[in-house]
């Protein structure tokens, strides 16, 4: 049972109230006529709720409420009074009242509503107790934003400067807020100058030049910059993001910029590049040694390498460790270890894959890398495959920073075969020493000017020069003939010096001292000085006149390649840069819709590859150029044209190389059909773009929450939301509702309630951190299966106007409200006692008199309500209201019986009107029910004529006589109170809306509400 203390200076109201409330057995009511006495009673006895009148002689209800709240008592408090002024309602709610109920009307329904409010207030107070704990945790979150952030208005005046900004610059917010003239640039650059945030508001190429890495993401600008004066002169490298701020009409009101210190990240990237360079140098050394040892096998292996480079494109095995754990492995590593996938290795100790006999040495290398931050050079060790099989590898390790953790980057190469070759080489060293010492290889070093700096003894004998004769002399004119060749070799030598990376291998004519012409195949390696500058070349030459045996082995290898080439399931091609095919495999021809490779080659070579197969022909020349300049395998997606003119999305992998036999540049590669994948990707991307545009360009602020593990995570927001929050929302992205609770507890609670109810909820709040002091209207909508989208709107202007109007009418309405209060109290008591008397004396002979007495009481009450409703017209500032929603709400409030209400007003139609416009729709439906006769349908619709909007309300009842069409809007006309349509016209006239009846008697009533163009709008429905 709920215990209630009921306070009123009218003993009759107390008695009737106690009788009605205690009838159901749910409440126990103590009554008292004095607020001071009630305060004393509250100190000595515990109640679940308090009901109090407003106007009492010793202490009014508001002061009584304030005393209760000042004492720390949060008991539910319901103000039950005849005073209907809105300022009284506001005072009561501001002072802590839970509900406000105005006296008047039929007693049974009045006290039934009062009982409902008491029950609801008690239940709500219990719920609030659990919420209150969460509110205390949100207040400080704003002070812990990690990124420095500031904002300016369109005049360049600083309007926001957060704590992180203070720490970064040493400038307090109080020292810089409201300042302009580029004051915000001084801490970072010691001068007044435009920065990234100014580019958001004004395009300026001179300012943009300061940010060479500038990117644009919609209206947002992203850049990196070095500011040498931040952090008290220590300086910092910054990642900058700037974006415009918008008002609720989509107009730019300023800009906001966040600054993130990425100095450590940039340093880590530099260290990574250095590590890769060290490992690359070690790899080059290893490659040189391996080439020297394997020189005798080179001719045959060159043919095999052509095959392997085409079908096996994987690089060396690479992995990264932190502590002792794999955090990254590449596909080559997965294959090297024999794992099913990378997931089988990630998270495990890399020592599990190293032979126990090698652990001690590896631990020392790991310590040197992680503690001393030094690279560990090449080292041979033994790894274990997943099945336990040992494999000999050679590794190099570099210090690395992985997600801010010290780590090691390791490059592995399987040297099992090389080790086997080493062992065989050592075993037969004596046997092959004479062969190695007399190998027909020429070793030459020459500087960047083309002069010989070294020539080995074999080469001296081969060319016929002594060391003194050749050292310091140019290669042109000594060992390279200046004339007499089929091409200008001087241009070749100049190009090798200018572009050494493009001439790793070349074959050309040479000349001995005695004039004999010889052909030599050269392998060239660029040499660099300690500053990384090109310093010359190291060249190994082989006399290739006696290579028939090698060519025979090459042909055998090519036959093997041809078998795979013909049967490969992917397209493989061999072509020339000028756009002609040398060869294609059957899979390539089938992929493009041709009957055979011969047909494809014939068609293409008459028109060119680009013109025949490329949807964008000019793209091929760009790809060929990139491949030629890089000398490496290239991978790209491309759109091809089939024989039947349909298109094919292909994944192209190819390279450019010099054919060692012909000396010409050629292309080779393969194509995989990815058309199905591209169709799916494009459809998904188009869908995402449409949604993103609608989401981001919505004029209402939108926050998107996702339900995860019993909590809610902020996963997105639009530009309007970022502007409304003052640029703070990006700091909360990805955080949970529990983490953000103290920032805005009402919104978090609304999100949770909306998700639990699977419906739409609305909330009006006063912001504390986002635009402090501003009033926000929030609507939350559940989006299956696990999202809640919150729409917010700044209604501060409307609230300010409402407050001004209420204050202006306060004194004017005081006299009327006092009178209504007293009359309502007496009518309430009179009606209640008549009802009780009626129950006590159920005499049919007296029923007529009881009926007339209650009708008189109800008429008086209706007149009093009319004065209250008429007084309320214009008190609250007009606002934009959804017309379709108004009709739906009025229909729910009306007693329609079997009558159907058809709402054909388009969604998004809004009118600017007094909040009491809801009563207009209610009165129209009520009149139709009362006077429409055999009515079945009431229909609301929307029309536009001559720049004005028209809301039409029509029914299929008996209609209105022509003589009454104007009289029905007069005060007192009608069979009920006579005030309904009179009030409707007065409410509508506040914002220039007119109403008239245009129906035909006998066919139904038709009311047309004509709205000026400035008082309606059609908003898009989302």
């Amino acid at each position: 049972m709920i215990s209630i203390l009921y306070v009123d200076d009218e003993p009759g109201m107390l008695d009737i109230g106690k009788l009605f409330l205690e009838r159901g057995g749910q409440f126990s009511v103590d009554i008292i006529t004095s607020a001071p006495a009630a305060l004393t009673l509250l100190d000595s006895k515990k109640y679940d709720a308090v009901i109090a009148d407003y106007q009492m002689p010793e202490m009014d209800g508001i002061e009584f409420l304030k005393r209760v709240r000042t004492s720390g008592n949060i008991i539910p408090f319901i103000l039950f009074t005849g005073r209907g002024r809105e300022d009284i309602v506001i005072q009561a709610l501001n002072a802590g009242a839970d509900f406000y109920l105005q006296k008047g009307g039929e007693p049974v329904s009045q006290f039934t509503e009062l009982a409902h409010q008491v029950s609801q207030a008690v239940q709500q107070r219990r719920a609030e107790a659990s919420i209150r704990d969460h509110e205390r945790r949100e207040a400080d979150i704003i002070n812990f934003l990690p990124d420095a952030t500031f904002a300016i208005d369109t005049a360049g005046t600083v309007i926001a400067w957060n704590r992180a900004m203070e720490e970064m610059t040493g400038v307090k917010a109080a020292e810089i807020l409201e300042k302009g003239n580029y004051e915000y640039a001084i801490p970072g650059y010691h001068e007044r100058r435009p920065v990234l945030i100014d580019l958001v508001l004004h395009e300026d190429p001179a300012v943009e030049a300061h940010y060479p890495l500038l990117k644009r993401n919609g209206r947002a600008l992203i850049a990196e910059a070095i500011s040498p004066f931040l952090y008290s002169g220590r300086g910092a490298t910054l990642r900058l993001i700037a974006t415009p701020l918008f008002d609720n009409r989509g107009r730019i009101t300023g800009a906001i910029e966040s600054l993130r210190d990425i100095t450590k990240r940039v340093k880590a990237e530099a260290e990574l590049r250095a590590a890769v360079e060290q490992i690359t140098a070690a790899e080059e050394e290893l490659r040189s040694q391996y080439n020297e040892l394997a020189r005798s096998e080179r001719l045959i292996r060159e043919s095999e390498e052509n095959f392997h480079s085409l079908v096996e494109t994987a690089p060396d095995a690479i992995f990264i460790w932190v502590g002792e754990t794999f955090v990254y492995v590449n596909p080559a590593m997965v294959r090297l270890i024999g794992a099913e996938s990378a997931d089988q290795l990630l998270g495990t100790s890399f020592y599990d894959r190293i032979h126990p006999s090698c652990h001690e040495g590896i631990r020392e290398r790991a310590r040197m890398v992680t503690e001393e931050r030094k690279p560990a050079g090449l080292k041979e060790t033994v790894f274990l495959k997943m099945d336990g099989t040992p494999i000999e590898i050679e590794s190099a390790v570099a210090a690395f920073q992985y997600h801010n953790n010290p780590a090691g980057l390791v490059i592995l190469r399987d040297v099992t075969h090389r080790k086997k070759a080493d062992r065989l080489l050592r075993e037969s060293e004596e046997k092959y020493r004479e062969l190695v010492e007399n190998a027909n290889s020429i070793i030459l070093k020459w500087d960047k000017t083309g002069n010989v700096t070294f020539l080995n003894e074999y080469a001296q004998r081969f060319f016929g020069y002594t060391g003194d004769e050749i050292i310091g002399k140019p290669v042109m004119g000594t060992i390279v003939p200046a004339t007499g060749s089929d091409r200008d070799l001087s241009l070749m030598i100049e190009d090798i010096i200018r572009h050494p990376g493009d001439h790793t291998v070349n074959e050309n004519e040479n000349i001995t001292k005695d004039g004999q012409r010889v052909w030599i195949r050269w392998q060239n390696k660029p040499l660099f000085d300690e500053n990384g500058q090109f310093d010359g070349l190291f060249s190994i030459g082989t006399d290739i006149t006696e290579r028939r045996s090698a060519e025979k082995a090459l042909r055998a290898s090519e036959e093997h390649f041809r078998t795979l080439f013909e049967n490969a399931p992917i397209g493989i091609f061999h072509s020339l840069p000028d756009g002609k095919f040398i060869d294609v495999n059957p899979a390539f021809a089938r992929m493009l819709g041709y009957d055979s490779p011969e047909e494809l080659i014939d068609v293409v070579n008459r028109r060119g590859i680009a013109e025949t197969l490329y949807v964008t022909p000019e793209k091929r020349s760009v790809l060929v150029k990139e491949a030629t300049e890089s000398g490496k395998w290239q991978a790209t997606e491309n759109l091809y044209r089939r024989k039947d003119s349909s298109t094919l999305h292909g994944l192209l992998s190819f390279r450019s190389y010099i054919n060692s036999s012909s000396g010409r540049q050629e292309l080779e590669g393969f194509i995989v059909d990815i058309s199905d994948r591209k169709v799916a990707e494009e459809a998904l991307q188009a869908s995402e773009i449409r949604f993103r545009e609608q989401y981001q360009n919505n004029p209402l602020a939108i926050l998107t929450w996702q339900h995860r593990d019993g909590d809610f995570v902020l996963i997105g927001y639009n530009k309007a939301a970022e502007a409304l929050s003052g640029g703070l929302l990006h700091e909360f992205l990805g955080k949970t509702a529990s983490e953000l609770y103290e920032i805005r507890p009402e919104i978090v609670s609304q999100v949770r309630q909306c998700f639990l109810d699977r419906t739409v909820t609305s909330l009006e709040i006063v912001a504390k951190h986002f635009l402090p002091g501003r009033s926000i209207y929030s609507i939350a909508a559940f989006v299956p299966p696990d999202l809640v989208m919150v729409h917010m709107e700044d209604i501060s202007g409307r609230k300010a106007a409402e407050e001004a109007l209420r204050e202006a009418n306060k004194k004017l309405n005081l006299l009327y409200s006092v009178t209504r209060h007293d009359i309502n109290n007496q009518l309430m008591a009179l009606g209640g006692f008549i009802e009780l008397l009626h129950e006590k004396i159920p005499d049919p002979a007296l029923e007529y008199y009881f009926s007339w007495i209650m009708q008189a009481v109800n008429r008086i009450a209706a007149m009093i309500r009319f004065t209250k409703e008429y007084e309320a017209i214009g008190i609250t500032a007009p606002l934009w209201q959804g017309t379709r929603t108004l009709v739906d709400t009025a229909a729910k409030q009306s007693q329609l019986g079997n009558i159907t209400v058809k709402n054909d007003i388009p969604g998004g139609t809004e009118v600017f009107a007094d909040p009491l416009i809801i009563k207009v729709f209610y009165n129209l439906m009520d009149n139709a029910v009362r006077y429409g006769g055999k009515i079945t349908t009431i229909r609301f619709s929307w029309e536009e004529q001559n720049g004005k909007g028209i809301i039409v309300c029509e029914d299929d009842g008996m209609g209105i006589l022509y003589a009454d069409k104007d009289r029905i809007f007069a005060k007192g006309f009608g069979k009920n109170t006579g005030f309904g349509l009179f009030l409707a016209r007065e409410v509508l006239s506040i914002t220039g809306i007119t109403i008239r009846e245009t129906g035909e008697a006998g066919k139904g009533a038709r009311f047309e509400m004509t709205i000026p163009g400035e008082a309606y709008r059609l908003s898009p429905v989302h």
Side-chain angles (χ1 to χ4, degrees):
M1 180 175 291
I2 297 175
S3 61
I4 302 172
L5 178 61
Y6 184 8
V7 187
D8 198 315
D9 62 329
E10 292 283 348
M13 285 301 299
L14 292 174
D15 293 337
I16 195 68
K18 179 177 176 67
L19 286 171
F20 271 100
L21 290 172
E22 291 184 341
R23 284 200 306 176
Q26 183 184 1
F27 304 104
S28 171
V29 182
D30 290 347
I31 57 176
I32 194 166
T33 58
S34 167
L39 288 172
T40 302
L41 189 57
L42 283 172
D43 291 336
S44 60
K45 184 176 179 179
K46 183 177 180 181
Y47 290 93
D48 293 317
V50 173
I51 302 172
D53 187 21
Y54 168 68
Q55 191 169 347
M56 295 182 290
E58 296 179 78
M59 180 187 299
D60 65 30
I62 301 297
E63 183 61 28
F64 175 38
L65 170 60
K66 291 179 179 178
R67 295 282 187 91
V68 171
R69 292 291 183 249
T70 302
S71 69
N73 194 336
I74 61 171
I75 185 172
F77 196 106
I78 295 89
L79 201 63
F80 184 45
T81 178
R83 296 293 294 272
R85 295 209 318 270
E86 192 167 341
D87 60 318
I88 301 301
V89 178
I90 293 172
Q91 287 182 50
L93 295 178
N94 287 341
D98 293 85
F99 289 105
Y100 176 94
L101 182 63
Q102 186 176 352
K103 297 176 183 177
E106 196 273 319
V108 174
S109 59
Q110 276 280 298
F111 284 105
T112 300
E113 176 64 19
L114 180 61
H116 172 70
Q117 289 190 359
V118 171
S119 298
Q120 186 175 354
V122 171
Q123 292 173 4
Q124 182 176 339
R125 184 68 78 249
R126 292 167 182 166
E128 288 173 351
S130 63
I131 295 174
R132 203 171 296 113
D133 291 337
H134 297 286
E135 293 180 338
R136 292 191 292 269
R137 293 197 293 267
E138 288 191 355
D140 295 328
I141 291 181
I142 194 67
N143 294 324
F144 294 95
L145 295 176
D147 285 351
T149 305
F150 74 99
I152 61 174
D153 60 18
T154 54
T157 302
V158 179
I159 59 176
W161 190 271
N162 75 348
R163 181 173 297 177
M165 200 72 189
E166 293 180 341
E167 294 174 358
M168 178 179 285
T169 63
V171 178
K172 298 295 183 182
E175 300 173 5
I176 198 166
L177 289 176
E178 304 302 328
K179 291 187 178 181
N181 192 23
Y182 306 117
E183 185 78 15
Y184 42 84
I186 295 176
Y189 302 100
H190 283 192
E191 64 174 325
R192 300 180 187 273
R193 48 165 277 196
V195 294
L196 187 67
I197 196 171
D198 297 289
L199 278 177
V200 175
L201 302 177
H202 309 288
E203 293 286 347
D204 188 337
V207 177
E208 190 169 334
H210 290 299
Y211 305 99
L213 301 178
L214 180 67
K215 297 179 180 178
R216 298 179 183 272
N217 185 5
R219 300 296 297 269
L221 302 181
I222 305 171
E224 292 185 6
I226 297 176
S227 183
F229 303 109
L230 296 177
Y231 297 115
S232 302
R234 187 175 79 239
T237 300
L238 304 174
R239 185 175 188 268
L240 313 173
I241 301 177
T243 188
L245 299 175
F246 299 88
D247 61 15
N248 58 1
R249 296 185 179 179
R251 298 175 301 189
I252 294 179
T253 59
I256 185 169
E257 180 175 343
S258 65
L259 300 80
R260 177 171 294 177
D261 188 350
I262 60 169
T263 305
K264 293 182 179 179
R265 192 197 78 188
V266 172
K267 182 179 179 182
E269 290 173 351
E271 291 176 352
L272 176 60
R273 285 193 294 271
V276 172
E277 290 174 359
Q278 292 169 354
I279 293 173
T280 301
E283 183 181 7
E284 290 296 329
E285 179 184 352
L286 178 63
R287 193 185 305 278
S288 176
Q289 294 174 359
Y290 186 77
N291 288 341
E292 185 67 24
L293 292 172
R295 184 185 304 114
S296 61
E297 301 175 347
R298 179 170 290 120
L299 288 176
I300 295 177
R301 196 168 69 253
E302 284 175 355
S303 175
E304 295 175 345
E305 287 174 354
N306 284 335
F307 164 71
H308 286 296
S309 64
L310 183 62
V311 297
E312 296 179 22
T313 59
D316 290 340
I318 299 174
F319 72 86
I320 299 173
W321 51 262
V322 174
E324 297 182 358
T325 303
F326 286 111
V327 295
Y328 169 77
V329 295
N330 74 339
M333 180 66 183
V334 174
R335 294 192 298 271
L336 178 67
I337 298 302
E340 294 180 358
S341 66
D343 292 339
Q344 196 173 1
L345 296 175
L346 295 178
T348 66
S349 171
F350 67 84
Y351 285 104
D352 294 344
R353 303 271 61 83
I354 298 174
H355 195 279
S357 63
C358 302
H359 282 190
E360 184 175 352
I362 295 299
R363 291 187 191 280
E364 175 57 25
R365 285 163 65 84
R367 186 200 62 78
M368 182 172 66
V369 170
T370 56
E371 296 181 8
E372 300 180 14
R373 309 302 291 162
K374 294 181 180 179
L378 293 172
K379 179 178 177 63
E380 294 181 0
T381 188
V382 179
F383 268 57
L384 298 175
K385 288 192 173 185
M386 299 303 293
D387 61 4
T389 303
I391 49 173
E392 295 181 282
I393 61 95
E394 190 164 47
S395 65
V397 189
F400 191 66
Q401 197 76 8
Y402 186 82
H403 296 315
N404 296 323
N405 294 311
L409 185 147
V410 184
I411 294 181
L412 306 178
R413 174 171 295 162
D414 186 351
V415 295
T416 303
H417 297 298
R418 195 198 75 188
K419 294 287 290 184
K420 181 179 179 181
D422 289 346
R423 287 192 294 271
L424 292 174
L425 183 62
R426 285 193 298 271
E427 292 171 0
S428 59
E429 183 177 7
E430 292 300 325
K431 178 179 177 181
Y432 291 100
R433 183 181 303 278
E434 183 177 354
L435 176 63
V436 172
E437 290 177 349
N438 295 284
N440 60 340
S441 294
I442 301 166
I443 300 177
L444 166 68
K445 288 178 64 177
W446 41 309
D447 61 22
K448 59 186 178 182
T449 63
N451 292 329
V452 177
T453 60
F454 173 78
L455 197 66
N456 71 341
E457 291 185 5
Y458 174 84
Q460 293 178 21
R461 293 194 303 271
F462 183 85
F463 287 112
Y465 289 98
T466 66
D468 293 337
E469 291 175 331
I470 193 66
I471 301 302
K473 300 295 193 303
V475 294
M476 281 302 303
T478 54
I479 62 174
V480 178
T483 59
S485 294
D486 57 356
R487 57 175 174 162
D488 189 344
L489 296 178
S490 63
L491 296 178
M492 178 196 72
I493 296 298
E494 291 176 3
D495 193 57
I496 290 174
I497 293 174
R498 285 198 304 269
H499 308 290
D502 295 341
H503 299 277
T504 56
V505 177
N506 68 285
E507 296 178 1
N508 61 270
E509 192 176 26
N510 289 81
I511 188 170
T512 63
K513 182 178 179 181
D514 59 8
Q516 181 181 353
R517 300 291 178 116
V518 292
W519 278 86
I520 296 176
R521 187 177 190 274
W522 295 98
Q523 294 187 8
N524 305 309
K525 175 179 175 58
L527 302 175
F528 301 92
D529 60 20
E530 59 185 8
N531 296 321
Q533 300 297 315
F534 174 66
D535 196 38
L537 290 104
F538 179 82
S539 303
I540 297 177
T542 303
D543 185 353
I544 60 175
T545 55
E546 302 293 336
R547 65 179 182 184
R548 289 186 179 180
S549 59
E551 291 174 347
K552 181 178 179 181
L554 177 62
R555 284 193 296 272
S557 177
E558 288 177 343
E559 289 176 3
H560 180 53
F561 165 73
R562 172 59 61 180
T563 300
L564 292 176
F565 179 80
E566 294 291 340
N567 295 284
I570 62 175
I572 304 174
F573 66 87
H574 189 195
S575 66
L576 296 174
D578 63 2
K580 293 183 178 181
F581 279 131
I582 299 173
D583 200 1
V584 300
N585 72 337
F588 195 9
R590 290 194 301 271
M591 188 183 298
L592 295 173
Y594 291 87
D595 296 332
S596 66
E598 292 74 20
E599 181 189 11
L600 173 59
I601 293 173
D602 179 63
V603 172
V604 167
N605 287 358
R606 282 189 276 109
R607 297 179 56 195
I609 293 174
E611 292 74 12
T612 307
L613 302 183
Y614 277 63
V615 173
T616 307
E618 58 269 18
K619 184 177 180 179
R620 183 178 185 274
S621 61
V622 175
L623 294 176
V624 171
K625 180 180 178 183
E626 291 176 352
T628 302
E629 292 176 350
S630 70
K632 299 179 181 178
W633 280 89
Q634 306 290 309
T636 184
E637 293 183 3
N638 195 27
L639 195 60
Y640 296 94
R641 183 182 293 105
R642 291 189 175 97
K643 180 180 178 181
D644 61 3
S645 298
S646 64
T647 57
L648 175 144
H649 281 279
L651 178 61
L652 169 65
S653 297
F654 75 106
R655 69 163 184 161
S656 172
Y657 69 99
I658 300 298
N659 189 308
S660 59
S661 300
S662 63
R664 68 181 179 181
Q665 181 185 356
E666 297 178 0
L667 304 173
E668 62 181 5
F670 52 85
I671 296 175
V672 178
D673 186 351
I674 60 170
S675 299
D676 292 341
R677 191 193 78 190
K678 291 298 292 184
V679 170
E681 289 175 352
E682 290 170 0
L684 178 60
Q685 184 178 16
S687 176
E688 290 176 344
I689 290 173
R690 286 195 300 273
F691 172 76
R692 191 177 298 111
E693 289 177 348
Q694 294 172 357
Y695 184 90
Q696 286 296 330
N697 295 322
N698 196 308
L700 293 178
I702 303 176
L703 302 176
T704 302
W705 299 83
Q706 184 177 45
H707 185 257
R708 296 181 188 171
D709 300 327
D711 208 334
F712 296 88
V713 177
L714 181 63
I715 64 171
Y717 56 87
N718 67 351
K719 293 181 285 188
E722 180 71 359
L724 187 63
S725 73
L728 300 176
L729 277 178
H730 66 279
E731 299 298 334
F732 304 142
L733 199 63
K735 294 191 176 181
T736 65
S738 298
E739 291 176 296
L740 305 180
Y741 193 83
E742 294 182 9
I743 293 295
R744 190 68 273 163
E746 298 92 338
I747 293 179
V748 174
S749 298
Q750 182 188 24
V751 168
R752 289 177 176 154
Q753 192 62 44
C754 174
F755 182 84
L756 292 175
D757 294 343
R758 299 295 199 270
T759 185
V760 176
T761 63
S762 61
L763 177 70
E764 189 173 303
I765 60 174
V766 176
K768 296 179 181 177
H769 299 280
F770 300 164
L771 301 178
R774 307 288 284 181
S775 295
I776 305 297
Y777 183 67
S778 170
I779 299 178
F782 171 69
V783 180
D786 59 355
L787 298 181
V788 174
M789 299 188 73
V790 179
H791 297 67
M792 297 188 296
E793 182 180 7
D794 185 353
I795 57 171
S796 301
R798 190 192 78 186
K799 298 297 290 185
E802 291 173 356
E803 182 61 30
L805 286 172
R806 282 192 292 271
E807 187 63 28
N809 285 278
K810 181 178 180 180
K811 293 183 178 180
L812 178 63
N813 295 324
L814 178 59
L815 179 60
Y816 300 132
S817 62
V818 170
T819 303
R820 277 197 310 274
H821 173 270
D822 293 337
I823 295 174
N824 270 330
N825 276 346
Q826 298 306 315
L827 282 174
M828 192 78 173
L830 177 61
F833 281 111
I834 291 173
E835 286 286 345
L836 292 174
L837 182 61
H838 191 195
E839 292 178 2
K840 295 286 186 179
I841 310 175
D843 186 350
L846 299 177
E847 192 68 30
Y848 175 82
Y849 301 100
F850 276 119
S851 175
W852 270 104
I853 292 172
M854 288 308 301
Q855 287 182 29
V857 170
N858 290 336
R859 288 193 194 97
I860 296 171
M863 294 175 186
I864 297 300
R865 286 196 299 273
F866 167 74
T867 63
K868 176 183 178 298
E869 292 175 354
Y870 193 84
E871 177 186 345
I873 296 175
I875 293 297
T876 305
L879 67 155
W880 289 102
Q881 301 171 75
T883 313
R884 184 178 179 85
T885 302
L886 289 171
V887 172
D888 290 340
T889 303
K892 292 177 182 179
Q893 297 174 354
S894 301
Q895 301 295 323
L896 297 171
N898 295 324
I899 297 174
T900 300
V901 174
K902 294 181 64 177
N903 188 354
D904 293 334
I905 296 177
T909 305
E910 297 180 336
V911 295
F912 188 71
D914 190 281
L916 291 176
I917 191 174
I918 184 68
K919 292 185 177 294
V920 175
F921 294 96
Y922 175 85
N923 284 334
L924 289 174
M925 295 182 198
D926 184 68
N927 284 348
V929 173
R930 289 177 184 273
Y931 312 121
K934 295 182 179 180
I935 183 173
T936 63
T937 304
I938 303 172
R939 177 176 177 265
F940 288 84
S941 59
W942 172 263
E943 298 177 1
E944 289 186 84
Q945 294 180 9
N946 302 323
K948 296 182 179 181
I950 301 175
I951 300 172
V952 178
C953 172
E954 53 191 341
D955 60 55
D956 57 357
M958 60 189 298
I960 297 173
L961 296 174
Y962 181 82
D964 293 336
K965 289 183 180 293
D966 292 328
R967 296 171 58 206
I968 57 176
F969 297 103
K971 183 172 63 175
F973 182 86
K975 301 175 183 178
N976 190 27
T977 64
F979 300 131
L981 291 178
F982 171 78
L983 283 174
R985 186 177 62 183
E986 295 298 311
V987 169
L988 294 173
S989 67
I990 292 175
T991 53
I993 304 173
T994 61
I995 183 170
R996 61 175 182 156
E997 203 286 328
T998 62
E1000 184 177 346
K1003 294 184 179 181
R1006 175 185 171 94
F1007 290 88
E1008 295 182 359
M1009 289 164 274
T1010 303
I1011 309 164
E1014 66 275 9
Y1016 78 91
R1017 64 188 182 189
L1018 303 177
S1019 302
V1021 179
H1022 300 284

